Amino acid sequence: QVQLVQSGAEVKRPGASVKVSCKASDYNFTSYGINWVRQAPGQGLEWMGWISTNYGDTNFAQKFQGRVTMTTDTSKSTAYMELRSLRPDDTAVYYCARDHYHYDSSSYSQTHYFDYWGQGTHVTVSS
Amino acid sequence: EIVLTQSPGTLSLSPGERVTLSCRASQYVSSNFLTWYQQKPGQAPRLLIYGASTRATGIPDRFSGSGSGTDFTLTISRLEPEDFAVYYCQHCDISPWTFGPGTTVQMK
């Protein structure tokens, strides 16, 4: 069945960078985009951005513009999220989630949601 | 940015009770792009309802979604022990695709 398996936990110093991977299996990787969502300890979910696995187009939340890079390696069915200039408040669980967008040309209807999620990667930023 | 507000923040209920969770948007959200997720401690979120009212694969029919425009509702007709969790609404209308702050459904 569809799976997204993320890389392991990371501990980083303030100012460093972290790169998290998300390996997809059991579906056509380039047919669905990938979103990245984070969750600080005891807090809610925060959308960081989206990448098209087909064309590499990206769409980032303004908060992360200039500090985040999202890439894919289609030969490995893997998406990556790199966050730079880490601060202690970047400590969070980072999730990848498959982007499900569907347009029905017969009814002109659309749906868009995140259907499968990775298990999460704990990133701790501490001196 | 569309801000989603969820109420109440926390509900303390017993198994068997009916639950109604609210999600209000700061501006119009197409119902096609309104989604509900469930998250249990230590787990990733799980897709429950998409398109405001369509249950995801494998979701029991005690879960239902409704609403349009700026007001959306998730209803659990009869709480089961496994339903105690945090519930988030989210939109994929205009970027950024934001989440609500969540409603915690806890056991009384």
Side-chain angles (χ1 to χ4, degrees), chain B residues 13-86:
Chain B
L13 299 166
S14 301
E17 291 196 78
R18 181 182 179 86
V19 185
T20 301
L21 309 181
S22 172
C23 175
R24 179 161 289 177
S26 60
Q27 62 190 75
Y28 173 85
V29 170
S30 167
S31 58
N32 293 335
F33 302 140
L34 194 286
T35 308
W36 290 92
Y37 301 91
Q38 177 194 66
Q39 187 180 34
K40 296 180 181 179
Q43 296 184 17
R46 172 195 183 196
L47 174 66
L48 280 183
I49 301 281
Y50 63 90
S53 60
T54 303
R55 277 187 302 277
T57 303
I59 301 303
D61 60 8
R62 63 180 181 273
F63 290 91
S64 64
S66 63
S68 63
T70 59
D71 289 293
F72 300 90
T73 300
L74 175 69
T75 301
I76 309 173
S77 60
R78 190 177 167 81
L79 261 181
E80 296 288 338
E82 62 267 27
D83 300 336
F84 292 97
V86 181

Side-chain angles (χ1 to χ4, degrees), chain A residues 39 47 59 110 113-114 118, chain B residues 32 37 39 50 90 95 97:
Chain A
Q39 186 170 38
W47 179 74
N59 176 19
Q110 308 170 77
Y113 50 92
F114 304 166
Chain B
N32 293 335
Y37 301 91
Q39 187 180 34
Y50 63 90
Q90 184 236 359
S95 181
W97 302 331

